[in-house]
Amino acid sequence: MNTNNIGKLSNESLDNLLEGFQLISFDWKYLYVNNAVIIQSKCSAKEDLLGLTMMEKYPGIEKTKMFKALQRCMTKRVSAEFENVFTFPDNTTSCFELRIRPVPDGIFILSIDISKRKREEVKTYKYLKGLEKILFLTSHNVRQPVANILGVSNLLDDNLITFNELHKMIGHLKISALSLDTFTRELTKYVEDLKLEGQR
């Protein structure tokens, strides 16, 4: 949104924006908030914010990195854009994409709740890390039994092996097969757990 156009927007237009819109005065009071901000801030009505300072509404906010960015915009008139994880008084958190701009009355903040997107990104990251682990486990737990089976099968081509040697080879094949079976079961369980994790 162009800063020059803010004055031309009606309160009705601002109220219906999907983005949160807050106008903060030089003394850190909420001058205006739209409907999206009420939802994002978990307030019941605009009156829960209007006229209060940010510090009154959210004690300790002045110690956050986000507030330092707001302060810089307020004093140096420098715009900023960043993502911020906001902790509410009830200790729940939400992630917001923030755009801060200086205006004659102080600063305005445009906010988009990107919590859902961030949760999806974390799920995707965990899933990819899980796939990497599957590849690693497969590489390390399958290679040795397969090598043993191939080694024994090569020895079986020799017509001069004795019955005792054959018995030992079959024992080695059985151990390798059991090892592969155990790993297959573990891998199946791991994949199922990974799918369940992705559905949460």
Side-chain angles (χ1 to χ4, degrees), residues 144-149 152 171-181:
Q144 190 58 51
V146 168
N148 290 344
I149 291 168
V152 170
H172 288 302
L173 284 175
K174 190 172 183 180
I175 290 169
S176 296
L178 287 171
S179 177
L180 285 172
D181 182 60

Side-chain angles (χ1 to χ4, degrees), residues 27-79:
D27 57 357
W28 298 103
K29 287 183 180 176
Y30 290 95
L31 297 178
Y32 173 83
V33 293
N34 70 353
N35 294 332
V37 169
I38 301 308
I39 295 167
Q40 291 174 359
S41 63
K42 302 182 180 182
C43 292
S44 303
K46 291 184 179 186
E47 291 69 35
D48 294 339
L49 292 168
L50 295 178
L52 295 174
T53 67
M54 296 184 89
M55 291 75 97
E56 287 170 334
K57 184 63 186 175
Y58 301 107
I61 194 172
E62 68 277 8
K63 297 173 185 173
T64 64
K65 288 182 181 178
M66 180 198 72
F67 191 82
K68 286 182 172 59
L70 299 180
Q71 229 170 6
R72 187 166 181 265
C73 184
M74 189 76 85
T75 56
K76 299 189 176 180
R77 317 308 285 160
V78 178
S79 298

Side-chain angles (χ1 to χ4, degrees), residues 1-9 14 21-27 29 31-32 70 72-80 99-110:
M1 181 185 292
N2 190 329
T3 308
N4 298 328
N5 295 332
I6 292 173
K8 299 175 185 176
L9 289 172
L14 292 172
F21 183 100
Q22 317 174 43
L23 186 59
I24 310 294
S25 67
F26 284 100
D27 57 357
K29 287 183 180 176
L31 297 178
Y32 173 83
L70 299 180
R72 187 166 181 265
C73 184
M74 189 76 85
T75 56
K76 299 189 176 180
R77 317 308 285 160
V78 178
S79 298
R99 284 177 278 170
I100 309 162
R101 303 285 185 269
V103 291
D105 292 327
I107 59 174
F108 83 80
I109 306 166
L110 284 176

Side-chain angles (χ1 to χ4, degrees), residues 140-188:
H140 284 72
N141 293 325
V142 172
R143 183 183 296 140
Q144 190 58 51
V146 168
N148 290 344
I149 291 168
L150 289 173
V152 170
S153 65
N154 287 333
L155 290 172
L156 288 172
D157 288 337
D158 185 354
N159 293 326
L160 300 176
I161 57 172
T162 66
F163 178 79
N164 285 339
E165 289 171 333
L166 181 61
H167 186 70
K168 285 181 183 177
M169 288 179 195
I170 290 171
H172 288 302
L173 284 175
K174 190 172 183 180
I175 290 169
S176 296
L178 287 171
S179 177
L180 285 172
D181 182 60
T182 300
F183 173 68
T184 301
R185 291 171 190 274
E186 289 172 355
L187 188 61
T188 301

